[in-house]
Amino acid sequence: MGVTCSVIVPVYNEAEVLEQSYGRLRTVMEGIGGSYELIFVNDGSADGSTGILRGICAADPHCRAIFFSRNFGHQTAVTAGIDAACGDAVVIIDADLQDPPELIPVMLEQWRAGKKVVYGKRIERKGETAFKKLTASVFYRVLASLSETEIPTDAGDFRLIDREICELLRNMPEHNRYLRGMIAWVGFEQAAVEYVRDERAAGVTKYTLKKMLRLAEDGLVSFSSKPLRFALGSGVVVCAVSAAAALLTLILNLAGVTEVSGLYFLGWALMFVVGLTQIFLGIVGMYISRICDEVRGRPRYIASERIGFGEAGKDGEE
Ligand code: UDP
Ligand code: MG
């Protein structure tokens, strides 16, 4: 208890790089001074990572580890770390040294200046495929335009969060976790620290295309209800266009400008019915988005300060 800084490191088959990243993290943390802990969350590794972590934890009292019974995914691993961390400031960092540990002192400085969240913003990504860079860039921008929460672009999970934010995240029980969105959602003063994302020190990416798509899906579904309401808008347009076309056809017919067969009206009527179905899908979507909000069980609001109320009832939960 009572450590100043906790560092959470999710680990999935990182045997090739683990010793090296532990070494660099230790050097940085010892350089900062003050108490610290390194929490490794072993997300069901099947290579030598498990043995290496046992060794590190046995030799260094600053290190703790959580071993998952199987691979639960990166966001879940970080969540377990957040649940276990006891630092006043908590840093989340990848095990592959793509996020430079040397940035932690800079983040701590911002935290000491009062920022509750300090996130790393990637100004350049080294050693990643053009495909990954392009899809990541497009995804961040699509999410920014669809999301009701302002989620920083080009920022991953490398960040420092204050103990208060940790407590809030622990009280957000949603299962499909898109942590960077959840951290943006809680609000407070947040700051960015720009950095160049290095190449992986060793090994290959553990984010398969399937995992990347799943993460993107979690981000979009958890932070936007616009796709659900899209059917409503498009349904209204389809109905309006088909009704207008039918009316125009009727007028042209009555005025004797053209002789249009009844088949045209059948076409417009069909289109109108399709539009109506879309409208009802959109209405169902509005209910589903409210059900999602209820099921997520997020606090309704978060107060950063209360004046004249004493200590009781800090947040929105009952
Ligand atoms: N990771 C994890 N569980 C997974 C996939 C990845 O804990 O199912 C960890 C991995 O060990 C690393 C971090 O999450 O510390 C980021 O993964 P990776 O570097 O492979 O992703 P990329 O940087 O290529 O997006
Ligand atoms: Mg990586």
Side-chain angles (χ1 to χ4, degrees):
M1 280 291 145
V3 292
T4 310
C5 186
S6 303
V7 181
I8 299 169
V9 190
V11 176
Y12 180 48
N13 294 342
E14 301 286 10
E16 283 168 87
V17 69
L18 208 47
E19 296 273 12
Q20 194 185 339
S21 50
Y22 159 66
R24 241 170 93 182
L25 273 169
R26 195 187 51 189
T27 308
V28 168
M29 297 315 289
E30 292 290 338
I32 292 169
S35 52
Y36 72 92
E37 62 173 356
L38 302 181
I39 302 178
F40 294 92
V41 185
N42 184 4
D43 185 13
S45 297
D47 63 350
S49 303
T50 305
I52 296 173
L53 285 179
R54 284 191 201 286
I56 290 174
C57 290
D60 184 346
H62 288 112
C63 296
R64 303 200 281 153
I66 299 168
F67 291 69
F68 280 0
S69 57
R70 63 168 172 85
N71 179 244
F72 280 91
H74 173 230
Q75 299 289 297
T76 311
V78 175
T79 300
I82 290 173
D83 289 344
C86 44
D88 297 329
V90 177
V91 174
I92 303 162
I93 191 166
D94 284 356
D96 59 0
L97 293 173
Q98 280 200 283
D99 307 323
E102 291 72 22
L103 215 64
I104 296 176
V106 183
M107 290 179 161
L108 279 166
E109 222 168 85
Q110 293 268 0
W111 171 68
R112 289 206 180 89
K115 304 287 190 241
K116 295 276 183 190
V117 175
V118 187
Y119 58 88
K121 193 172 169 71
R122 303 155 179 177
I123 48 169
E124 194 191 325
R125 301 169 73 118
K126 284 191 193 162
E128 288 183 315
T129 61
F131 175 75
K132 177 130 186 175
K133 283 184 197 165
L134 180 74
T135 48
S137 168
V138 169
F139 167 69
Y140 285 131
R141 271 138 200 96
V142 169
L143 182 61
S145 68
L146 289 180
S147 163
E148 286 100 28
T149 309
E150 216 176 291
I151 304 174
T153 49
D154 304 318
D157 287 306
F158 180 35
R159 58 190 61 212
L160 177 151
I161 57 178
D162 183 81
R163 139 129 263 109
E164 196 174 347
I165 307 287
C166 261
E167 299 291 346
L168 288 166
L169 292 174
R170 288 177 194 171
N171 287 325
M172 289 166 78
E174 60 201 83
H175 277 242
N176 299 293
R177 296 171 88 77
Y178 184 69
L179 282 165
R180 43 198 104 159
M182 292 164 69
I183 293 170
W185 183 87
V186 298
F188 291 96
E189 264 195 82
Q190 310 207 354
V193 174
E194 293 189 339
Y195 75 108
V196 174
R197 188 161 158 91
D198 281 330
E199 281 179 52
R200 235 181 191 279
V204 292
T205 178
K206 306 303 170 322
Y207 255 97
T208 54
L209 184 62
K210 197 170 147 206
K211 281 184 176 164
M212 250 159 61
L213 287 173
R214 180 64 218 215
L215 183 70
E217 184 190 320
D218 281 340
L220 286 169
V221 175
S222 301
F223 288 92
S224 176
S225 57
K226 282 187 188 149
L228 278 174
R229 286 196 307 256
F230 176 73
L232 186 65
S234 62
V236 169
V237 171
V238 169
C239 278
V241 168
S242 54
L247 195 67
L248 187 70
T249 317
L250 185 67
I251 292 170
L252 290 179
N253 248 5
L254 289 178
V257 179
T258 49
E259 181 85 7
V260 186
S261 95
L263 270 179
Y264 276 86
F265 287 101
L266 191 62
W268 300 136
L270 268 177
M271 198 169 144
F272 189 78
V273 172
V274 169
L276 271 186
T277 316
Q278 271 172 264
I279 290 176
F280 285 112
L281 274 178
I283 293 173
V284 172
M286 281 164 28
Y287 284 87
I288 292 178
S289 85
R290 277 159 183 76
I291 294 171
C292 286
D293 282 345
E294 299 295 338
V295 172
R296 271 184 211 118
R298 293 181 191 164
R300 265 155 291 176
Y301 58 85
I302 295 164
S304 60
E305 201 179 333
R306 287 167 192 262
I307 298 178
F309 288 91
E311 265 300 296
K314 266 197 112 189
D315 304 311
E317 317 110 57
E318 279 147 296

